[in-house]
Amino acid sequence: MHSVGPWLAIGVLALASGCATRSVDVRAKPGDPAAYTSWNCDRLFGEIDSVQQRAADVAYAVDARVGHNMIALGLGVTVFWPALLAMRPDGMEAVELAELKGRFEAMQVAAARRRCDTTLTAASASEGAGALPVALGDRLVYEHRAGHRGLPHELGMRVASLRSDPPEFSVDLDGQAVSLPQRSQLIGWQRLLRRELELGQVLAGELAAADASPGTARVRGQVVAIGPQQIGGRDFDVAVIELFGDAPAGAGGSTRLDGVMSVDRRSGVLLRLELRCENANYALRRRLVRVEAAGG
């Protein structure tokens, strides 16, 4: 296998349909904190978590209809409400999201009035944060599809070094080592992710071919959700990042790019990437499906 640089790793090029547009902001429907006066802190925290999970589920259902599939996390998800509301179209889902946001804010006020210790939820969310979910020699197996309708291919990435940030990998495609000509079919990110990814954080960087081919896509991102997720028996601390920007087009022009990526906050390992753009060099789907242990 051929070793690939530390910023590699997101995909064989593919063709997708046009890029999505942004919708107007949806305002929260105010809730009444007095409705939760009799609730204790545990009940408030439990319902706050449930409301955020329901909001993520609603947003995911909306996104699935347009092929975005932004938020797919398990229990314990924490969402960035401004982005969640602003990116959903008008309709019944927008109304429900506005109502959920109002309930969320009302329960936060009720929790503050009860002087509930919010540091307890932060501590529980960070449990186990010190241990990396992958080890040297592990092989990360991704399902790759060309655009949103292409046939699946298996992309393998074996952890070659944990000393860099993110880790370095050696790459194979459908069980075959990636040859030098194929390097032009792989893209990765530069200066996009940060060591500490926080909810609502705004990011900026570039997407470019792994062989340093001419032309890069300028992208911005925002962390719209964080939470735990288990894939292939490994526990990940996930950050979901919405991406948007401009990719190169013919005659020196540019074309719109948008998508979503999920990464593990502890290791920087990519868990999911979906890009949509009319430029075939910047359109793909990538999803981690399992982790093969070193020596397994």
Side-chain angles (χ1 to χ4, degrees):
M1 296 183 184
H2 296 262
S3 179
V4 181
W7 59 274
L8 175 121
I10 45 188
V12 178
L13 304 181
L15 179 64
S17 58
C19 305
T21 57
R22 293 170 171 263
S23 56
V24 297
D25 191 9
V26 180
R27 295 184 179 276
K29 181 178 179 180
D32 183 7
Y36 309 101
T37 301
S38 63
W39 290 23
N40 62 28
C41 294
D42 287 342
R43 186 179 180 185
L44 284 168
F45 288 146
E47 186 61 20
I48 285 172
D49 287 344
S50 295
V51 165
Q52 292 193 100
Q53 184 64 60
R54 175 57 187 167
D57 291 342
V58 171
Y60 185 84
V62 173
D63 291 336
R65 292 203 294 268
V66 296
H68 201 168
N69 302 328
M70 183 182 292
I71 300 172
L73 295 175
L75 297 177
V77 61
T78 303
V79 298
F80 184 60
W81 285 97
L84 202 68
L85 294 175
M87 302 313 298
R88 308 286 112 30
D90 292 332
M92 292 302 297
E93 291 93 348
V95 172
E96 183 175 1
L97 284 172
E99 292 175 346
L100 289 168
K101 179 62 161 57
R103 287 174 57 195
F104 172 83
E105 291 178 340
M107 286 186 289
Q108 281 195 315
V109 172
R113 289 175 178 173
R114 272 194 167 270
R115 298 185 179 180
C116 298
D117 188 357
T118 57
T119 61
L120 294 177
T121 57
S124 62
S126 63
E127 287 179 359
L132 292 179
V134 296
L136 188 66
D138 284 352
R139 181 172 178 262
L140 309 178
V141 181
Y142 296 85
E143 177 190 87
H144 163 75
R145 291 179 182 268
H148 293 274
R149 296 182 177 86
L151 296 175
H153 295 273
E154 179 179 289
L155 180 75
M157 297 178 56
R158 191 173 299 276
V159 181
S161 174
L162 289 169
R163 295 180 180 178
S164 58
D165 184 16
E168 293 184 4
F169 303 91
S170 57
V171 180
D172 64 270
L173 184 63
D174 291 331
Q176 301 296 317
V178 175
S179 61
L180 185 59
Q182 290 175 300
R183 290 283 296 277
S184 62
Q185 296 180 305
L186 298 171
I187 60 173
W189 60 82
Q190 295 174 303
R191 298 181 297 276
L192 178 60
L193 300 182
R194 300 291 181 264
R195 186 174 295 272
E196 299 292 338
L197 293 173
E198 302 294 340
L199 198 65
Q201 185 176 13
V202 175
L203 308 167
E206 297 177 337
L207 298 177
D211 66 347
S213 296
T216 61
R218 297 183 300 275
V219 295
R220 294 178 64 83
Q222 185 167 44
V223 180
V224 297
I226 57 175
Q229 189 170 28
Q230 187 174 90
I231 303 174
R234 305 292 179 93
D235 293 318
F236 296 96
D237 177 18
V238 182
V240 180
I241 304 166
E242 184 190 25
L243 299 174
F244 54 95
D246 298 295
S254 63
T255 185
R256 192 68 177 163
L257 173 152
D258 75 284
V260 60
M261 69 187 302
S262 298
V263 298
D264 178 64
R265 294 201 295 167
R266 290 168 289 177
S267 63
V269 164
L270 179 74
L271 304 176
R272 183 168 63 101
L273 178 75
E274 298 188 22
L275 296 178
R276 296 191 306 276
C277 190
E278 292 182 353
N279 183 336
N281 292 351
Y282 295 93
L284 59 91
R285 296 179 68 186
R286 174 68 40 74
R287 179 175 63 91
L288 181 65
V289 294
R290 68 180 186 273
V291 179
E292 298 174 352

